[in-house]
Amino acid sequence: MASQEIEQLTQALARLPGLGPRSARRAVLHLLKKRETALVPLLRALETVGDKLSTCEICGNVDTSNPCGVCSDPKRDLRSLCVVEEVADLWALDRSRLFPGKFHVLGGRLSALDGVRPEDLGVDTLIARVSGGEIDEVVLAMNATLEGQTTAHYLAERLESYPVRITQLAHGLPVGGELDYLDEGTLAQALRARRPVA
Amino acid sequence: MASQEIEQLTQALARLPGLGPRSARRAVLHLLKKRETALVPLLRALETVGDKLSTCEICGNVDTSNPCGVCSDPKRDLRSLCVVEEVADLWALDRSRLFPGKFHVLGGRLSALDGVRPEDLGVDTLIARVSGGEIDEVVLAMNATLEGQTTAHYLAERLESYPVRITQLAHGLPVGGELDYLDEGTLAQALRARRPVA
């Protein structure tokens, strides 16, 4: 029987997404056997991040500084703003510097089912940023789900009266996608948005 | 771009077995968003375990006490000793109290390829425990691999001169195993060790 302390560590790890009880146990064993090279670095990293963690007051990103690294980066294009549902989406788009502008995290999506209304999301702060006048383009980068697209439509309407270009991510075939295996919805969108061959 | 501190936390998590860079990033996001319910408990658990962590001087188990929980458990049968290769094997066998006795962790297996010799493993401490005279049975619970079985043979020879019963785990069909899908080696062992139907 593992001691109570080890059991608690296993449970704390097992609650992370992607780790079940079995893999958490393997991870704990690894941490126990490599105290100096695995357990201590993880402990220090958690301490540092835990101390400094904050939500960016401008965009809603989570980072160890406030304003966050993206918002305080002087090399970013202030005129483009990319609106995403979650922090995870911001990270995904920002991973390889795909988008040169700034971001805005809504903190969710409109959902009648879950009772999420516009006032539950960062919509007012978005409007405030756009009405500042510095922004030329707002990219609505919602998920290609029903709720994501509903949210995008709602935001497009709210932003209509401001002098900004409103765009959204292209829908179509994913890279490596085989027509044979793709759903009808994706195929319909790819067809509808077909482009002339250059 | 995530801050350097967050990047370090991601890397520390990505080094755990079962977590790659992608799932580590998801885990970090989870920790950042749930500071109080995920990050802090994990931090505390790591601190506690890191402080108390030690290798049991009797059996080689890792635990937060020394002697470990298994060795200091008075309800264990002192006369049975189960020899395993790694701490992970001890935990696996001990998980549902499958084995009522005590354990001995070798810390590896004999391997000509990796240059692991008897003196690199906890063989002398095993001999010392057995020669103490309290033990009736030694279960050799090595992995069913070439190196595991070589190690078991070697240990059986070394223990021959002591008045103990030496046994090893049964080999045969795993639970749910279908003959059609099992390898010839397993089938051969299952046939060789066939038993009369009760």
Side-chain angles (χ1 to χ4, degrees), chain B residues 23 26-27 42 55 57 68 73 102 124 136 148 157-158 163 172 174 179 190:
Chain B
S23 41
R26 274 178 56 216
L42 179 57
T55 301
E57 61 194 12
C68 74
D73 181 353
K102 305 252 172 174
D124 287 341
D136 287 343
E157 265 179 32
R158 286 286 302 265
L179 297 197

Side-chain angles (χ1 to χ4, degrees), chain B residues 68 97 114 195:
Chain B
C68 74
R97 288 271 191 165
D114 300 333
R195 297 180 309 168

Side-chain angles (χ1 to χ4, degrees), chain A residues 1 3 5 17 25 29-30 32-33 35 43 46 48-50 52-53 63-64 86-88 94-95, chain B residues 1 3 5 17 25-26 29-30 32-33 35 43 46 48-50 52-53 63-64 86-88 94-95:
Chain A
M1 299 283 287
S3 75
E5 290 100 337
R25 222 176 286 119
L29 256 169
H30 178 82
L32 298 187
K33 285 169 79 176
R35 189 180 183 283
L43 177 60
L46 276 170
T48 314
V49 169
K52 299 192 177 176
L53 189 60
D63 203 347
T64 49
E86 300 283 0
V87 174
D94 201 47
R95 203 155 294 149
Chain B
M1 298 284 286
S3 75
E5 290 99 337
R25 222 177 284 119
R26 274 178 56 216
L29 257 168
H30 178 83
L32 298 186
K33 287 170 79 174
R35 188 181 183 283
L43 178 60
L46 276 171
T48 314
V49 169
K52 298 192 178 177
L53 187 60
D63 203 348
T64 50
E86 299 283 358
V87 174
D94 201 47
R95 205 155 292 149

